[in-house]
Amino acid sequence: MPKNICGKCHHIYDSPLAGKCPNCNSPTGQTFDFQNDDTFLNESIPKILEERKEFGLEGLVKGLNCIIINTEPEKHRAAVEELLKYTGFQFKYTYEWNQVLTSVLSCKNSPDLLIQSRKLETNPFRIYNNGKKIHNLPNTRLETFVFATDHLDNYVKKQKARGISFLTDEILNTSNYSFIQSKPTPYMGISYGFIEWKDPTHDYYSDEASELNWNLEKPSQNYLKNIGRLDHTATRVRAKDRDAAIIEFMKYTNYNFNFAVYVKHLNSITSVARLSATDFAMVFTSGITAFENITKSGPTEGFIYNYGTRTHHMAFDTTNIEDTFSELQNNKMDFLIDLVGSREEGLKQTFSAQSPNTMLVNEYIHRYDDFDGFFTKSNVTDLTKSTEKQ
């Protein structure tokens, strides 16, 4: 199907651009034929990189600082306890500010996990919880990826100059940090946040907040020591929005599109964007062709039909993965699939069942020796197919 892209800001539209781009008000635009291969992305990337340099954005955004997962208020504590039971993350504290409850979990050498729930009805992400199976959890989703920067004022000024808008006009300033986030992206229903720390302890509990006396204890099972940092997340994107979602992410951050794995018989593409080989990776999973019906369109488009566009799973770096997998099963974790892969192939992975508290799947992943391929096609195929069970 023909699509249109603004030649200045690279925003993609289904309808023709009538004179000016609605995103940046530029008079430029071009038409291209939509097809899901890497041609359009590879042609667009040099333009995006050049624009980063032109606006002075190159290097302003660093790696992932934390992710924000929102839950229903009655499921907040259960969500935290579940993550303590099945990951290597430790509970730090819970606090309330502006009628939002936040629990902070941390793990060595990893972005933090922030579990939140709102007391107010207002929620800019709620309209994206529109899948067939999600209506009973209208506020539950991974909402925001928060990246670190040392120059937030400069970053916001430069992004606004190129037509980027944010959820709030002004930067939020607290005693410990400054923060701003984008509006929820229409392609995925997630937001990109940016934080500049004033406090060297990186403490989210600022003077403006009230700490709550939760004191949740982490289980003592030894296998939890094997589960480490957040390696990547994967977000489900509609086939028609795959290119736009990746381009948008590259515009907000200093990440680059790295490679894609196509599983044609399952109508699925797994696309990987990376900052470096050692940083958290952002994964986008989309259909190759658009949704037709639940039986024909494959597990990726089927998941979106059932749950809307959203982050599907969080992947955790895991050592002693065979023993850890067995111990997780012994501790009542259900799985969508057994361990797949091998040392010879370079890695092993598995998917847990979907959490009833966060609607997220946990992936446990181990890369052997000097394997640097990130994924293998055989593992991607098996894991993608396992999501049919959701």
Side-chain angles (χ1 to χ4, degrees), residues 29 31 43 69 79 115 140-141 150 155 169-170 180 186 214 218 233 251 268 286 304 344 357 359 367 377:
T31 300
E43 289 177 353
I69 303 167
I115 313 303
T140 299
R141 69 190 295 109
D150 293 330
Y155 171 80
D169 289 332
E170 301 297 328
I180 200 167
W214 277 28
K218 187 168 183 66
T233 62
K251 287 167 58 181
S268 187
S286 62
I304 294 171
E344 292 70 28
N357 302 306
M359 300 307 292
R367 297 184 183 89
K377 186 169 183 177

Side-chain angles (χ1 to χ4, degrees), residues 33 48 63 127 135 146 157-159 182 232 246-247 268 272 343 346 361 370 379 387:
D33 290 328
I48 298 168
I127 61 171
H135 295 300
V146 180
K157 180 180 179 180
K158 291 179 182 297
Q159 288 287 36
S182 71
H232 68 272
I246 295 171
I247 288 171
S268 187
V272 179
R343 179 184 286 273
V361 165
D370 57 353
N379 279 19
T387 62

Side-chain angles (χ1 to χ4, degrees), residues 246-274:
I246 295 171
I247 288 171
E248 180 184 56
F249 177 59
M250 289 180 62
K251 287 167 58 181
Y252 275 110
T253 69
N254 281 166
Y255 276 66
N256 295 316
F257 170 65
N258 196 235
F259 68 95
V261 178
Y262 287 72
V263 183
K264 292 184 179 180
H265 73 282
L266 295 177
N267 186 37
S268 187
I269 315 171
T270 296
S271 304
V272 179
R274 302 175 82 177

Side-chain angles (χ1 to χ4, degrees), residues 25-170:
N25 207 36
S26 168
T28 59
Q30 68 186 76
T31 300
F32 67 97
D33 290 328
F34 167 70
Q35 55 183 357
N36 261 325
D37 60 26
D38 295 343
T39 303
F40 181 74
L41 274 176
N42 288 330
E43 289 177 353
S44 300
I45 287 170
K47 301 174 187 176
I48 298 168
L49 298 181
E50 183 61 33
E51 190 177 290
R52 281 183 191 168
K53 293 178 182 178
E54 178 187 345
F55 280 86
L57 289 160
E58 193 66 42
L60 278 185
V61 178
K62 299 188 289 187
L64 186 70
N65 180 90
C66 65
I67 61 174
I68 299 174
I69 303 167
N70 201 71
T71 69
E72 310 304 318
E74 67 274 15
K75 291 181 176 287
H76 185 128
R77 182 184 286 264
V80 175
E81 291 173 338
E82 181 182 57
L83 287 164
L84 293 176
K85 183 177 180 181
Y86 294 129
T87 77
F89 280 71
Q90 303 281 340
F91 175 75
K92 293 185 72 175
Y93 46 78
T94 298
Y95 66 91
E96 184 176 344
W97 187 42
N98 286 345
Q99 300 196 61
V100 177
L101 198 69
T102 303
S103 296
V104 179
L105 283 73
S106 67
C107 180
K108 185 178 180 181
N109 299 322
S110 176
D112 298 324
L113 306 181
L114 273 57
I115 313 303
Q116 290 190 341
S117 53
R118 297 177 178 85
K119 291 187 175 181
L120 296 173
E121 287 294 316
T122 304
N123 180 355
F125 297 88
R126 182 177 290 180
I127 61 171
Y128 299 101
N129 288 338
N130 54 8
K132 187 178 178 67
K133 294 185 178 181
I134 199 65
H135 295 300
N136 62 326
L137 297 171
N139 301 293
T140 299
R141 69 190 295 109
L142 194 162
E143 289 185 349
T144 308
F145 293 86
V146 180
F147 296 88
T149 178
D150 293 330
H151 308 282
L152 186 59
D153 284 333
N154 194 24
Y155 171 80
V156 172
K157 180 180 179 180
K158 291 179 182 297
Q159 288 287 36
K160 286 184 175 181
R162 68 200 288 236
I164 297 291
S165 59
F166 295 90
L167 192 61
T168 57
D169 289 332
E170 301 297 328

Side-chain angles (χ1 to χ4, degrees), residues 143-342:
E143 289 185 349
T144 308
F145 293 86
V146 180
F147 296 88
T149 178
D150 293 330
H151 308 282
L152 186 59
D153 284 333
N154 194 24
Y155 171 80
V156 172
K157 180 180 179 180
K158 291 179 182 297
Q159 288 287 36
K160 286 184 175 181
R162 68 200 288 236
I164 297 291
S165 59
F166 295 90
L167 192 61
T168 57
D169 289 332
E170 301 297 328
I171 293 172
L172 171 67
N173 284 292
T174 76
S175 57
N176 291 351
Y177 59 85
S178 299
F179 175 80
I180 200 167
Q181 70 186 98
S182 71
K183 297 176 182 177
T185 164
Y187 309 122
M188 297 176 289
I190 61 171
S191 175
Y192 300 120
F194 304 92
I195 191 167
E196 180 180 353
W197 289 101
K198 303 174 185 177
D199 176 10
T201 65
H202 290 192
D203 196 348
Y204 303 92
Y205 171 52
S206 60
D207 292 345
E208 297 82 0
S210 301
E211 187 171 3
L212 303 181
N213 187 28
W214 277 28
N215 295 325
L216 298 178
E217 294 187 6
K218 187 168 183 66
S220 59
Q221 284 89 342
N222 284 331
Y223 72 86
L224 293 172
K225 298 176 183 178
N226 299 333
I227 306 171
R229 68 180 183 90
L230 183 67
D231 180 89
H232 68 272
T233 62
T235 300
R236 297 297 190 253
V237 187
R238 291 183 177 87
K240 69 183 182 67
D241 293 330
R242 179 243 187 181
D243 289 351
I246 295 171
I247 288 171
E248 180 184 56
F249 177 59
M250 289 180 62
K251 287 167 58 181
Y252 275 110
T253 69
N254 281 166
Y255 276 66
N256 295 316
F257 170 65
N258 196 235
F259 68 95
V261 178
Y262 287 72
V263 183
K264 292 184 179 180
H265 73 282
L266 295 177
N267 186 37
S268 187
I269 315 171
T270 296
S271 304
V272 179
R274 302 175 82 177
L275 185 64
S276 76
T278 57
D279 280 285
F280 162 86
M282 190 79 158
V283 178
F284 305 81
T285 308
S286 62
I288 300 172
T289 60
F291 180 83
E292 292 184 42
N293 60 63
I294 196 66
T295 57
K296 185 178 180 181
S297 294
T300 296
E301 289 287 328
F303 176 87
I304 294 171
Y305 174 79
N306 285 324
Y307 298 102
T309 53
R310 64 174 54 239
T311 300
H312 173 264
H313 67 262
M314 301 184 292
F316 300 97
D317 184 35
T318 305
T319 58
N320 300 319
I321 195 166
E322 295 88 353
D323 291 341
T324 304
F325 178 65
S326 297
E327 288 299 315
L328 286 166
Q329 289 178 309
N330 292 339
N331 281 272
K332 299 182 179 180
M333 171 165 264
D334 295 324
F335 287 85
L336 297 175
I337 190 173
D338 290 333
L339 281 173
V340 295
S342 66

